[in-house]
Amino acid sequence: MENKETFQSVLQLDKIVFDKIEFKRLGFSSEKELELEIQSNISQKQNAEIYRVTLILKGNKPEEYIFEISLTGFFSFEAENIIQEELKNTLVTKNAIAILMPYLRSEVSLLTAQPGIECVVLPAFNINKILED
């Protein structure tokens, strides 16, 4: 009989919402490169172990289109686990953003999968490198 251990993260995604999905066509097909800007914002609910993590992605393909997507995830920690504050900050900062990225990546593809536009499939991001920069 195999001994299979199950590992579960103490960080839990409780809810996810898109705050803003905006697309504006500027013209027809452009040979210019898509420019991307990503931002993150992390806050903690006062007197609670609930964290709000927001990712904002802005895309600009000059002379063709611009878009902005804002996505917020609400995270908490399992109450039964006692976790040091430094570890909590690391988990929220790195893991929460990594958890949200596939949702953001998917929405970009859905938003750009329109007639006359080349669908954008974002590559996997190195979250640690982005946060360092």
Side-chain angles (χ1 to χ4, degrees):
M1 185 188 254
E2 286 185 41
N3 181 12
K4 293 185 180 180
E5 290 187 50
T6 306
F7 295 98
Q8 186 174 355
S9 176
V10 293
L11 180 65
Q12 297 179 347
L13 173 60
D14 298 322
K15 187 186 310 182
I16 185 170
V17 295
F18 283 93
D19 304 303
K20 181 178 188 178
I21 301 172
E22 187 175 276
F23 182 92
K24 183 176 181 183
R25 181 181 289 282
L26 304 174
F28 294 103
S29 186
S30 166
E31 294 298 317
K32 300 199 174 171
E33 290 290 318
L34 175 63
E35 302 161 1
L36 296 172
E37 176 188 337
I38 191 164
Q39 303 167 355
S40 65
N41 184 15
I42 300 170
S43 60
Q44 182 179 359
K45 187 174 183 179
Q46 195 169 12
N47 300 321
E49 288 295 316
I50 298 171
Y51 295 82
R52 177 184 177 139
V53 180
T54 300
L55 292 180
I56 300 168
L57 180 66
K58 295 179 182 180
N60 177 15
K61 188 160 187 194
E63 301 173 14
E64 189 172 348
Y65 62 82
I66 57 173
F67 68 80
E68 183 175 340
I69 301 170
S70 177
L71 166 70
T72 298
F74 296 87
F75 293 86
S76 63
F77 288 93
E78 282 188 10
E80 61 207 40
N81 292 308
I82 298 173
I83 305 165
Q84 294 177 344
E85 206 59 39
E86 185 177 326
L87 179 57
K88 278 185 191 177
N89 290 336
T90 300
L91 288 171
V92 169
T93 303
K94 294 181 179 178
N95 291 15
I97 291 174
I99 290 167
L100 294 177
M101 285 305 294
Y103 296 97
L104 187 62
R105 186 178 296 113
S106 174
E107 190 59 36
V108 168
S109 294
L110 288 171
L111 194 60
T112 58
Q114 299 181 35
I117 295 177
E118 187 176 328
C119 182
V120 175
V121 178
L122 296 177
F125 293 105
N126 181 340
I127 302 301
N128 292 329
K129 175 97 173 92
I130 290 171
L131 293 172
E132 287 172 8
D133 294 344

